[in-house]
Amino acid sequence: MIILFAVIIQLLLPLSPLSADSLNQQTTPTEIIDLNKFPLFIRADFSSDYVISGFIPFGKEWIVLSPSADGNRSMRIIDIEEFSQHHFLSFNRHKPQEYTYAIPFYVSSHQYIFLNKPPNPMLALHLASIGDNWEVYLNGKLLRSEIHRDVNGTIVQHRNYRDVLIPFSATLLRNGPNNVVFRIIGDPASPLVGLNSSAPYRIGPYTYLKSKVNDLVDVTLSLIYIFIGIYIILSNLTKYAYI
């Protein structure tokens, strides 16, 4: 059986796009801006004043999440005690509420030069996941809106997305202080409201980030195919063992 399993693995490994060399080449350039390395400010409302360029979140109404030492940070509403209405095994639904996520971040001169030099005409904001309805602003500029509500404020189309890439012109980024703001709308008891994966949340060249997202999709599909292949082969072997 061990020999047979080894043969199966040898047959399925070509499906995977990952090799030792490709893994070694997947290091992230230091010029990529990791937003999890900066404090996150959250409050339980939204105002157009919060997205004005140069706005600084200040006051007791803001909950502050510290920067992440390892690049991972939990940022769902249900993980924030002051806002969460989530209860274990409860299926109660609540009226959608609005929240503001603000991440003031700093771009060094080295990063700014790298992100503005050819061939980087377009940058992108990479969000590991976001929901339920939302808008994203960078330095006062709306980058993308996914708000779909009726006149009563009920969400009519859900927008819980993973690995979102939002392209934008490099001219929006500044040398020095910057600010990205998320308008988040959703049920405070839902695990899908907020930035609901731990990482990555970053800014970098669009082509680079797009290649990373595509690589992740390829890896995921390859792993699915591998496990399906193993399951089918082992199922057939078990069936023939009883004949």
Side-chain angles (χ1 to χ4, degrees):
M1 178 63 74
I2 295 176
I3 296 176
L4 179 60
F5 185 76
V7 171
I8 293 171
I9 293 299
Q10 288 296 321
L11 291 173
L12 293 174
L13 276 178
L15 293 174
S16 174
L18 289 181
S19 64
D21 291 338
S22 63
L23 283 173
N24 291 335
Q25 293 171 1
Q26 289 185 357
T27 55
T28 302
T30 56
E31 293 83 0
I32 301 300
I33 301 167
D34 184 353
L35 296 176
N36 277 354
K37 298 294 186 181
F38 298 89
L40 168 64
F41 298 81
I42 307 176
R43 62 180 295 155
D45 64 359
F46 176 79
S47 169
S48 58
D49 292 339
Y50 306 155
V51 304
I52 296 175
S53 179
F55 173 79
I56 300 175
F58 178 78
K60 62 181 181 180
E61 297 84 2
W62 294 91
I63 302 299
V64 184
L65 300 186
S66 300
S68 169
D70 62 0
N72 297 288
R73 179 167 59 184
S74 181
M75 298 177 284
R76 301 180 301 174
I77 288 298
I78 66 168
D79 297 326
I80 303 169
E81 183 178 353
E82 292 85 348
F83 302 146
S84 174
Q85 296 186 30
H86 177 74
H87 300 284
F88 183 65
L89 295 180
S90 174
F91 297 97
N92 292 334
R93 305 184 70 176
H94 301 78
K95 181 179 179 180
Q97 297 186 24
E98 296 199 23
Y99 304 90
T100 301
Y101 282 44
I103 306 178
F105 63 97
Y106 188 85
V107 178
S108 68
S109 297
H110 178 72
Q111 289 174 319
Y112 185 77
I113 293 172
F114 171 82
L115 294 172
N116 278 274
K117 71 179 181 180
N120 298 331
M122 291 295 295
L123 303 181
L125 173 64
H126 178 200
L127 309 177
S129 61
I130 187 170
D132 180 358
N133 273 203
W134 46 273
E135 289 180 336
V136 183
Y137 299 83
L138 175 63
N139 292 329
K141 175 71 173 180
L142 176 64
L143 297 185
R144 181 165 168 179
S145 178
E146 291 291 349
I147 295 180
H148 306 275
R149 297 191 291 177
D150 61 20
V151 294
N152 298 316
T154 302
I155 294 176
V156 294
Q157 295 182 36
H158 299 282
R159 289 294 185 267
N160 298 303
Y161 290 156
R162 296 185 63 86
D163 283 312
V164 180
L165 272 185
I166 305 177
F168 63 90
S169 170
T171 59
L172 289 179
L173 204 63
R174 297 173 179 169
N175 186 2
N178 292 259
N179 197 20
V180 61
V181 175
F182 303 88
R183 181 186 183 185
I184 301 291
I185 304 171
D187 182 343
S190 170
L192 298 176
V193 177
L195 303 178
N196 45 64
S197 292
S198 60
Y201 296 91
R202 54 190 178 177
I203 291 175
Y206 174 76
T207 51
Y208 171 83
L209 295 179
K210 189 174 188 296
S211 69
K212 296 295 114 179
V213 171
N214 289 342
D215 287 348
L216 179 60
V217 172
D218 290 342
V219 171
T220 302
L221 290 175
S222 295
L223 291 175
I224 292 173
Y225 293 148
I226 288 172
F227 285 114
I228 290 176
I230 292 175
Y231 174 78
I232 292 173
I233 293 174
L234 294 180
S235 296
N236 286 318
L237 289 176
T238 303
K239 179 178 67 174
Y240 288 121
Y242 289 96
I243 294 178

Coordinates of all heavy atoms in Angstrom, one line a residue, residues 77-120:
I77 N -16.0 42.3 12.7 CA -16.8 43.0 13.7 C -17.1 42.1 14.9 O -17.1 42.5 16.1 CB -18.2 43.5 13.1 CG1 -17.9 44.7 12.2 CG2 -19.1 43.9 14.2 CD1 -17.3 45.9 12.9
I78 N -17.4 40.8 14.7 CA -17.7 39.9 15.8 C -16.5 39.6 16.7 O -16.6 39.1 17.8 CB -18.2 38.5 15.3 CG1 -17.1 37.7 14.5 CG2 -19.5 38.7 14.5 CD1 -17.5 36.3 14.3
D79 N -15.3 40.0 16.2 CA -14.1 39.8 17.0 C -13.8 41.1 17.9 O -12.9 41.1 18.7 CB -12.8 39.6 16.2 CG -12.9 38.3 15.4 OD1 -13.5 37.3 15.9 OD2 -12.4 38.3 14.2
I80 N -14.6 42.1 17.7 CA -14.4 43.3 18.5 C -15.6 43.4 19.5 O -16.7 43.6 19.2 CB -14.5 44.6 17.6 CG1 -13.4 44.4 16.5 CG2 -14.3 45.8 18.3 CD1 -13.5 45.4 15.4
E81 N -15.2 43.2 20.8 CA -16.2 43.1 21.9 C -17.1 44.2 21.9 O -18.3 44.0 22.2 CB -15.4 42.9 23.2 CG -16.3 42.7 24.4 CD -15.5 42.5 25.7 OE1 -14.3 42.4 25.6 OE2 -16.1 42.4 26.7
E82 N -16.7 45.4 21.7 CA -17.5 46.6 21.8 C -18.6 46.6 20.8 O -19.7 47.3 21.0 CB -16.7 47.9 21.7 CG -15.7 48.1 22.9 CD -14.4 47.4 22.7 OE1 -14.3 46.5 21.8 OE2 -13.5 47.7 23.5
F83 N -18.5 46.0 19.7 CA -19.4 46.1 18.6 C -20.2 44.8 18.3 O -21.3 44.8 17.7 CB -18.7 46.5 17.3 CG -18.0 47.8 17.4 CD1 -16.8 48.0 16.7 CD2 -18.5 48.8 18.2 CE1 -16.2 49.2 16.7 CE2 -17.8 50.0 18.3 CZ -16.6 50.2 17.6
S84 N -19.6 43.6 18.7 CA -20.2 42.3 18.3 C -21.5 42.0 19.0 O -21.7 42.3 20.1 CB -19.2 41.2 18.6 OG -19.7 40.0 18.4
Q85 N -22.4 41.5 18.2 CA -23.7 40.9 18.7 C -23.8 39.4 18.4 O -24.9 38.9 18.3 CB -24.8 41.7 18.1 CG -24.9 43.2 18.6 CD -26.1 43.9 18.1 OE1 -27.2 43.3 18.0 NE2 -26.0 45.2 17.9
H86 N -22.6 38.8 18.2 CA -22.6 37.4 17.8 C -22.7 36.6 19.1 O -22.0 36.8 20.1 CB -21.3 37.1 17.1 CG -21.1 35.7 16.8 ND1 -21.8 35.0 15.8 CD2 -20.3 34.7 17.3 CE1 -21.5 33.8 15.7 NE2 -20.6 33.5 16.6
H87 N -23.5 35.5 19.1 CA -23.7 34.6 20.2 C -23.6 33.2 19.6 O -24.2 32.9 18.6 CB -25.0 34.8 20.9 CG -25.2 36.2 21.5 ND1 -24.5 36.6 22.6 CD2 -25.9 37.2 21.0 CE1 -24.9 37.8 22.9 NE2 -25.7 38.3 21.9
F88 N -22.9 32.3 20.3 CA -22.6 31.0 19.9 C -24.0 30.2 19.7 O -24.8 30.2 20.5 CB -21.8 30.2 20.9 CG -21.4 28.8 20.5 CD1 -20.6 28.6 19.3 CD2 -21.9 27.7 21.2 CE1 -20.2 27.3 18.9 CE2 -21.5 26.5 20.8 CZ -20.7 26.3 19.7
L89 N -24.1 29.6 18.5 CA -25.3 28.8 18.1 C -26.6 29.6 18.0 O -27.7 29.1 17.9 CB -25.5 27.6 19.1 CG -24.4 26.6 19.1 CD1 -24.8 25.5 20.1 CD2 -24.2 26.0 17.7
S90 N -26.4 31.0 17.9 CA -27.6 31.8 17.7 C -27.7 32.2 16.3 O -26.7 32.5 15.6 CB -27.4 33.1 18.5 OG -28.5 34.0 18.2
F91 N -29.0 32.1 15.7 CA -29.2 32.4 14.3 C -30.0 33.6 14.2 O -30.6 33.9 13.1 CB -29.9 31.2 13.7 CG -29.1 29.9 13.7 CD1 -29.3 28.9 14.6 CD2 -28.2 29.7 12.7 CE1 -28.5 27.8 14.6 CE2 -27.4 28.6 12.7 CZ -27.6 27.6 13.6
N92 N -30.1 34.5 15.2 CA -30.8 35.7 15.2 C -30.1 36.7 14.2 O -28.9 36.8 14.1 CB -30.9 36.4 16.5 CG -31.8 35.6 17.5 OD1 -32.7 34.9 17.1 ND2 -31.5 35.7 18.8
R93 N -30.9 37.4 13.4 CA -30.4 38.3 12.5 C -30.7 39.7 12.9 O -31.7 40.0 13.6 CB -31.0 38.1 11.1 CG -30.8 36.7 10.6 CD -31.3 36.5 9.2 NE -30.5 37.2 8.2 CZ -30.7 37.2 6.9 NH1 -31.7 36.4 6.4 NH2 -29.9 37.8 6.0
H94 N -29.8 40.7 12.7 CA -29.9 42.0 13.1 C -29.9 43.0 12.0 O -29.4 42.6 10.9 CB -28.7 42.4 14.1 CG -28.6 41.5 15.3 ND1 -28.1 40.2 15.2 CD2 -29.0 41.7 16.6 CE1 -28.1 39.7 16.5 NE2 -28.7 40.6 17.3
K95 N -30.4 44.2 12.2 CA -30.5 45.2 11.1 C -29.0 45.6 10.8 O -28.2 45.7 11.7 CB -31.2 46.4 11.6 CG -31.3 47.5 10.6 CD -32.1 48.7 11.1 CE -32.1 49.8 10.1 NZ -32.9 51.0 10.6
P96 N -28.7 45.7 9.5 CA -27.3 46.1 9.1 C -26.9 47.4 9.8 O -27.7 48.4 9.8 CB -27.4 46.2 7.6 CG -28.6 45.3 7.2 CD -29.6 45.4 8.4
Q97 N -25.7 47.5 10.3 CA -25.2 48.7 10.9 C -23.9 49.1 10.1 O -23.3 48.3 9.3 CB -24.8 48.4 12.3 CG -26.0 48.1 13.2 CD -25.7 48.0 14.7 OE1 -24.7 48.5 15.1 NE2 -26.5 47.2 15.4
E98 N -23.6 50.4 10.2 CA -22.5 50.9 9.5 C -21.3 51.1 10.4 O -21.4 51.4 11.6 CB -22.8 52.3 8.9 CG -23.9 52.2 7.8 CD -23.9 53.4 6.9 OE1 -22.9 54.1 6.8 OE2 -25.0 53.7 6.3
Y99 N -20.1 50.8 9.9 CA -18.9 51.0 10.6 C -17.8 51.6 9.7 O -17.9 51.6 8.5 CB -18.3 49.6 11.1 CG -19.3 48.8 11.9 CD1 -20.2 47.9 11.3 CD2 -19.4 48.9 13.3 CE1 -21.1 47.2 12.0 CE2 -20.3 48.2 14.0 CZ -21.2 47.3 13.4 OH -22.1 46.6 14.1
T100 N -16.9 52.3 10.4 CA -15.7 52.9 9.6 C -14.4 52.2 10.1 O -14.2 52.1 11.3 CB -15.7 54.4 9.9 OG1 -16.9 55.0 9.5 CG2 -14.5 55.0 9.1
Y101 N -13.7 51.7 9.1 CA -12.3 51.2 9.4 C -11.4 52.2 8.8 O -11.5 52.5 7.6 CB -12.1 49.9 8.7 CG -12.7 48.7 9.4 CD1 -14.0 48.7 9.9 CD2 -12.0 47.5 9.5 CE1 -14.5 47.5 10.4 CE2 -12.5 46.3 10.0 CZ -13.8 46.4 10.5 OH -14.3 45.2 11.1
A102 N -10.4 52.7 9.5 CA -9.5 53.7 9.0 C -8.0 53.2 9.3 O -7.8 52.9 10.5 CB -9.7 55.1 9.6
I103 N -7.2 53.2 8.3 CA -5.8 52.8 8.5 C -4.9 53.9 8.0 O -4.6 54.0 6.8 CB -5.5 51.5 7.8 CG1 -6.5 50.4 8.2 CG2 -4.0 51.1 8.1 CD1 -6.2 49.1 7.4
P104 N -4.5 54.8 8.8 CA -3.4 55.8 8.4 C -2.1 55.0 8.3 O -1.7 54.2 9.1 CB -3.4 56.7 9.6 CG -4.6 56.5 10.4 CD -4.9 55.0 10.2
F105 N -1.4 55.2 7.1 CA -0.2 54.5 6.9 C 0.8 55.5 6.3 O 0.5 56.5 5.8 CB -0.4 53.3 6.0 CG -0.9 53.6 4.6 CD1 0.0 53.7 3.5 CD2 -2.2 53.8 4.3 CE1 -0.4 53.9 2.3 CE2 -2.7 54.0 3.1 CZ -1.8 54.1 2.0
Y106 N 2.1 55.1 6.4 CA 3.2 55.9 5.9 C 3.9 55.3 4.8 O 4.2 54.1 4.8 CB 4.1 56.2 7.1 CG 5.2 57.2 6.8 CD1 4.9 58.6 6.9 CD2 6.4 56.9 6.3 CE1 5.9 59.6 6.7 CE2 7.4 57.8 6.0 CZ 7.1 59.2 6.2 OH 8.1 60.1 5.9
V107 N 4.2 56.0 3.7 CA 5.0 55.6 2.6 C 6.3 56.3 2.6 O 6.4 57.5 2.5 CB 4.3 55.9 1.3 CG1 5.1 55.5 0.1 CG2 2.9 55.2 1.2
S108 N 7.4 55.5 2.7 CA 8.7 56.0 2.8 C 9.1 56.5 1.4 O 8.5 56.1 0.4 CB 9.7 55.0 3.3 OG 9.9 53.9 2.3
S109 N 10.2 57.3 1.3 CA 10.7 57.8 0.1 C 11.1 56.7 -0.9 O 10.9 56.7 -2.1 CB 11.8 58.8 0.3 OG 11.4 59.9 1.0
H110 N 11.7 55.6 -0.3 CA 12.2 54.5 -1.0 C 11.0 53.7 -1.6 O 11.0 53.4 -2.8 CB 13.0 53.5 -0.1 CG 13.4 52.3 -0.8 ND1 14.4 52.3 -1.8 CD2 13.0 51.0 -0.7 CE1 14.6 51.0 -2.2 NE2 13.7 50.3 -1.6
Q111 N 9.9 53.5 -0.8 CA 8.7 52.9 -1.3 C 8.0 53.7 -2.4 O 7.6 53.2 -3.4 CB 7.8 52.6 -0.2 CG 8.2 51.5 0.8 CD 7.3 51.4 2.0 OE1 6.8 52.5 2.5 NE2 7.0 50.2 2.4
Y112 N 8.0 55.0 -2.2 CA 7.3 55.9 -3.1 C 8.0 55.9 -4.5 O 7.3 55.8 -5.5 CB 7.3 57.3 -2.6 CG 6.5 58.3 -3.4 CD1 5.1 58.3 -3.4 CD2 7.2 59.2 -4.2 CE1 4.4 59.2 -4.1 CE2 6.5 60.1 -5.0 CZ 5.1 60.1 -5.0 OH 4.4 61.0 -5.7
I113 N 9.3 55.9 -4.5 CA 10.1 55.9 -5.8 C 9.8 54.6 -6.5 O 9.6 54.5 -7.7 CB 11.6 56.1 -5.5 CG1 11.8 57.6 -5.0 CG2 12.4 55.9 -6.8 CD1 13.2 57.9 -4.5
F114 N 9.9 53.5 -5.7 CA 9.7 52.1 -6.3 C 8.3 52.0 -6.9 O 8.2 51.5 -8.0 CB 9.9 51.1 -5.2 CG 9.6 49.7 -5.7 CD1 10.4 48.9 -6.5 CD2 8.3 49.1 -5.4 CE1 10.1 47.6 -6.9 CE2 8.0 47.9 -5.8 CZ 8.8 47.1 -6.6
L115 N 7.3 52.4 -6.2 CA 5.9 52.3 -6.7 C 5.5 53.2 -7.8 O 4.5 53.0 -8.4 CB 5.0 52.5 -5.5 CG 5.1 51.4 -4.4 CD1 4.2 51.8 -3.2 CD2 4.6 50.0 -4.9
N116 N 6.4 54.2 -8.0 CA 6.0 55.2 -9.1 C 6.9 55.0 -10.3 O 6.7 55.6 -11.4 CB 6.2 56.6 -8.6 CG 4.9 57.1 -7.9 OD1 4.0 57.5 -8.5 ND2 4.9 56.9 -6.5
K117 N 7.9 54.1 -10.3 CA 8.8 54.0 -11.4 C 8.3 53.0 -12.4 O 7.5 52.1 -12.1 CB 10.2 53.6 -10.9 CG 10.3 52.1 -10.5 CD 11.7 51.7 -10.0 CE 11.8 50.3 -9.6 NZ 13.1 49.9 -9.2
P118 N 8.6 53.2 -13.7 CA 8.2 52.2 -14.7 C 8.8 50.8 -14.4 O 9.9 50.8 -13.9 CB 8.8 52.8 -16.0 CG 9.0 54.2 -15.7 CD 9.3 54.3 -14.3
P119 N 8.1 49.7 -14.7 CA 6.8 49.7 -15.4 C 5.6 49.5 -14.4 O 4.9 48.5 -14.5 CB 6.9 48.4 -16.2 CG 7.8 47.5 -15.4 CD 8.7 48.4 -14.5
N120 N 5.5 50.4 -13.5 CA 4.4 50.4 -12.5 C 3.4 51.5 -12.7 O 3.2 52.4 -11.9 CB 4.9 50.5 -11.1 CG 5.9 49.3 -10.7 OD1 5.7 48.2 -11.3 ND2 6.8 49.6 -9.9

